């Protein structure tokens, strides 16, 4: 392998180098309080470099493929990681002052796995990337276990350990399912590359392996009925980490689902599409109904996230370039909305000492700008015009309706109306209820800046969605191209705009793209 063949891995190598820099910085200098700032600066530099560095081509003997698809997910993960790091600077510095270097080192390792995952085209590399993403998250979910005996920001003593162990056990079970299913796929295909699996004949054993792999990814994404770890882990872990956990890993996990179904198992769509269409209504109903009685805001948003995975599965089940385009746009809108919502919960919960819905009472009088941010994030999650979440749901509904699943669209629309009940409960508490005390909520500069970044993203995407839709389209198109063969690895130049110009690929976005 030459240095030129490492070109598609440039950004990933940079993230790995950034993790090592933070680790060495923490070991060699007594400046732990700057580890988070250094991580944010390095991630920002890599994100900026992604717009100038050519990452097209293949690497690692065709086990990794760069290009628009991988680049879209890398940029989104890097942006979410930057906001997540900024949002947790004060919390990590206050609660784990002696372990800040380890915290950000683990975050960067997880980001490395997320960045590598969308480009994987080999089953072994795919699972290794999945575990590189997940193992640091298991540690981070229990990172606050020594914060102290008394309850802190709604987290009772020992609940961080409980959150970590539940997350780890479910993650281990999902990995076992994926490994077992992957072994069946590789056995039936005679190789581990996605191209070999795609060319393998459809046999009952191959379908069994496919279902095991889908079940394993369902655990990691929080698809019902594999969602049992989500509310407990969200409630027990520190809120800034949960903000990151609710956004970036979900983007990477959904990219993995798209990758496997579109590139390794396209011939089995007649089997996995009905399976996803069954999971969609189950996930929508379970997430929404269980969110309604929640009084803890973190558990409420956890179940809300389960319901939103159901909306994503709707687009994934259609299995066309246009539907994947809508899925990628939905991921973008949801990730920044949910990340911002959790950061607002962190700001309010840190001041109130708990994460209950009553802690938002009178928020508009105590911190008007936080109340406004909460309002916009809740409207976006509910799909109210004209913020990012509205366009995301609208386009998913349109593409699923065009595919002929009218009943599923009607159910999803009904679930969206029911979701207003628990989203607007928080808005009601913020704007109508009297404040329990008149003191103002103070927010650190880094946390305030992170919330503003999310707010600007949600509003900006809502006001001008066309560039982001086109970017999602350019990322979706290569996923449906034939896998590159080793003989033509160095000469891979594939036109991507042609498929987007066709009415089928552009779908309902064609007039807007003009």
């Amino acid at each position: 392998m030459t240095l030129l063949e490492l070109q598609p891995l440039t950004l990933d190598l940079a993230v790995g180098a950034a993790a090592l820099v933070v680790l060495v910085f923490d070991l060699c200098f007594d400046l732990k309080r700057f580890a988070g700032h250094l991580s944010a600066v390095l991630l920002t530099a890599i994100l900026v470099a992604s717009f100038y560095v050519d990452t097209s081509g293949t690497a690692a003997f065709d086990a990794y493929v760069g290009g628009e698809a991988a680049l879209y997910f890398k940029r989104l993960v890097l942006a979410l990681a930057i906001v997540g790091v900024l949002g947790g600077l004060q919390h990590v510095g206050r609660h784990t002052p002696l372990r800040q270097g380890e915290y950000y080192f683990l975050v960067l390792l997880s980001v490395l796995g997320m960045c590598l995952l969308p480009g994987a085209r080999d089953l072994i590399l795919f699972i290794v990337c999945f575990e590189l993403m997940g193992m640091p998250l298991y540690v981070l979910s229990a990172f606050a276990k020594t914060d102290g005996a008394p309850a802190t920001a709604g987290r009772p003593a020992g609940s961080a350990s409980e959150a970590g162990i539940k997350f780890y056990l479910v993650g281990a079970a999902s990995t076992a399912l994926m490994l077992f299913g992957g072994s069946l796929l590789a056995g039936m295909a005679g190789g581990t590359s996605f191209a070999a699996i795609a060319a393998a004949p459809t046999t009952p054993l191959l379908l069994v392996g496919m279902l095991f792999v889908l079940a394993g990814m369902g655990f990691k994404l929080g698809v019902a009925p594999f969602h049992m770890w989500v509310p407990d882990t969200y409630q027990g872990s520190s809120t800034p980490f949960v903000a990151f956990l609710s956004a970036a890993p979900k983007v990477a996990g959904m990219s993995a689902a798209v990758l496997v179904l579109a590139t390794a198992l396209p011939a089995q769509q007649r089997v996995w599409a009905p399976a996803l269409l069954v999971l969609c209504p189950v996930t929508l109903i379970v997430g929404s109904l269980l969110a309604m009685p929640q009084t803890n805001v973190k558990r409420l948003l956890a179940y809300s996230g389960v319901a939103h995975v159901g909306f994503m599965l709707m687009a994934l089940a259609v299995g066309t370039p246009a539907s994947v385009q809508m899925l990628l746009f939905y991921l973008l809108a949801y990730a920044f909305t949910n990340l911002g919502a959790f950061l607002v919960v962190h700001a309010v919960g840190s001041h109130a000492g708990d994460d209950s819905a009553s802690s938002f009472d009178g928020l508009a009088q105590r911190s008007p700008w936080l109340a406004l941010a909460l309002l916009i994030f809740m409207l976006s999650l509910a799909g109210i015009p004209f913020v990012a979440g509205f366009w995301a749901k609208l386009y998913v509904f349109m593409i699923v309706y065009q595919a002929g699943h009218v009943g599923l669209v009607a159910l999803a629309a009904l679930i969206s109306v029911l979701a207003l009940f628990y989203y607007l409960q928080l808005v009601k508490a913020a704007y109508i209820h009297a404040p329990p005390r008149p003191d103002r909520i103070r927010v650190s500069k880094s946390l305030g800046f992170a919330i503003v970044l999310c707010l600007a993203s949600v509003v900006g995407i809502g006001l001008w969605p066309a560039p982001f839709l086109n970017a999602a389209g350019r990322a979706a198109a290569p996923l449906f191209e034939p896998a590159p063969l080793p003989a033509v690895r160095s000469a891979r130049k594939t036109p991507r705009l042609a498929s987007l110009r066709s009415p089928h690929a552009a779908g309902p976005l064609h007039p807007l793209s003009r």
Side-chain angles (χ1 to χ4, degrees):
M1 183 183 298
T2 64
L3 289 177
L4 184 61
E5 290 179 310
L6 292 176
Q7 177 178 297
L9 293 166
T10 303
L11 299 177
D12 310 280
L13 293 173
V15 175
L20 293 177
V21 167
V22 170
L23 179 63
V24 172
F25 176 85
D26 178 59
L27 292 174
C28 298
F29 303 98
D30 188 20
L31 297 170
K32 295 182 181 295
R33 64 184 182 278
F34 295 114
H37 298 82
L38 177 61
S39 301
V41 169
L42 293 174
L43 288 171
T44 303
I46 297 171
L47 178 60
V48 172
S50 69
F51 292 93
Y52 299 98
V53 176
D54 182 14
T55 59
S56 60
T58 63
F61 307 102
D62 296 325
Y64 184 91
V65 175
E68 291 287 347
L71 197 57
Y72 180 91
F73 289 109
K74 289 181 199 292
R75 288 171 177 167
L76 181 51
V77 166
L78 288 170
L80 294 171
I82 293 168
V83 177
V85 168
L86 291 174
L89 282 178
Q90 184 189 42
H91 178 88
V92 176
R94 176 182 298 175
H95 293 282
T96 55
L98 300 179
R99 296 184 289 153
Q100 295 184 67
E102 295 96 318
Y103 181 92
Y104 294 111
F105 173 68
L106 290 170
V107 168
L108 289 171
L109 282 184
S110 182
V111 170
L112 175 59
M114 297 176 202
C115 289
L116 284 168
L117 193 56
R121 294 297 187 277
D122 184 270
L123 201 56
I124 297 175
L125 177 62
F126 177 80
I127 294 177
V128 168
C129 293
F130 233 128
E131 292 311 297
L132 179 58
M133 173 189 75
M135 287 187 178
L137 298 178
Y138 306 151
V139 180
L140 290 170
S141 62
F143 207 74
K145 63 186 178 66
T146 57
D147 279 4
T152 304
R155 187 177 58 256
S159 61
S161 299
E162 181 183 353
I165 195 65
K166 287 184 177 179
F167 193 16
Y168 168 73
L169 290 175
V170 173
S174 65
T175 299
L177 290 176
M178 290 181 62
L179 285 171
F180 181 72
S183 66
L184 295 179
L185 293 178
M188 292 298 99
T192 57
S193 70
F194 284 3
I197 295 173
T202 301
T203 62
L205 202 55
L206 185 138
L207 295 179
V208 171
M210 178 193 68
L211 293 177
F212 270 100
V213 170
L214 290 179
M217 288 192 291
F219 272 109
K220 294 183 182 295
L221 287 170
V223 178
F226 312 118
H227 68 287
M228 67 289 293
W229 63 272
V230 178
D232 294 330
T233 300
Y234 279 28
Q235 183 181 9
S237 302
S238 64
T239 310
F241 167 70
V242 172
F244 174 74
L245 177 66
S246 70
K250 194 162 291 183
V251 169
M254 196 58 70
S255 74
V258 173
L259 188 66
V260 169
L261 298 181
T263 63
L265 301 167
Q268 288 74 36
Q269 185 171 359
R270 61 180 179 83
V271 178
W272 57 254
L276 293 181
L277 289 174
V278 171
L279 291 176
C280 285
V282 174
T283 305
L284 288 169
I285 293 172
V286 168
S288 294
L289 293 184
L290 292 181
M292 287 186 177
Q294 301 301 322
T295 57
N296 183 283
V297 180
K298 290 166 69 174
R299 292 185 69 89
L300 185 153
L301 291 178
Y303 284 116
S304 163
V306 172
H308 278 277
V309 171
F311 290 112
M312 298 176 199
L313 291 181
M314 290 172 57
L316 184 60
V318 176
T320 64
S323 69
V324 172
Q325 180 183 10
M326 307 310 153
L327 171 59
L328 301 190
F329 179 76
Y330 195 107
L331 278 172
L332 173 66
Y334 170 78
F336 280 105
T337 301
N338 213 51
L339 180 57
F342 268 109
L343 291 179
V344 172
V345 172
H346 170 53
V348 176
S350 298
H351 182 81
D354 65 79
D355 299 312
S356 64
S358 60
S359 63
F360 287 81
D361 289 348
L363 181 61
Q365 301 176 39
R366 302 161 62 197
S367 181
W369 81 274
L370 274 181
L372 177 62
L374 175 70
L375 172 63
I376 293 176
F377 292 140
M378 293 300 107
L379 292 179
S380 183
L381 288 174
I384 303 297
F386 286 94
V387 284
F390 166 73
W391 298 111
K393 283 189 178 180
L394 176 64
Y395 290 133
V396 167
F397 288 175
M398 291 174 66
I399 204 68
V400 176
Y401 177 82
Q402 290 180 354
H405 305 296
V406 181
L408 183 59
V409 173
L411 174 64
L414 177 61
I415 292 296
S416 297
V417 174
L418 292 177
L420 287 171
F421 172 78
Y422 49 84
Y423 288 135
L424 295 184
Q425 268 190 333
L426 298 180
V427 177
K428 175 186 174 183
Y431 281 93
I432 296 178
H433 293 179
R437 49 189 181 184
D439 56 328
R440 300 185 65 83
I441 297 178
R442 298 185 180 276
V443 180
S444 66
K445 292 181 180 179
S446 59
L447 177 57
F449 184 57
I451 294 174
V452 169
L453 286 177
C454 293
L455 198 59
S457 301
V458 171
V459 174
I461 295 171
L463 295 178
W464 195 23
F468 305 97
L469 289 165
N470 292 334
R474 290 192 297 271
L479 293 172
F480 292 85
E481 297 173 355
L485 298 175
V488 297
R489 182 172 72 248
S490 60
R492 184 178 182 268
K493 294 290 183 181
T494 53
R496 299 181 178 90
L497 294 178
S499 61
L500 295 179
R501 296 298 182 185
S502 67
H504 175 70
L509 303 184
H510 185 64
L512 194 109
S513 300
R514 294 176 183 169

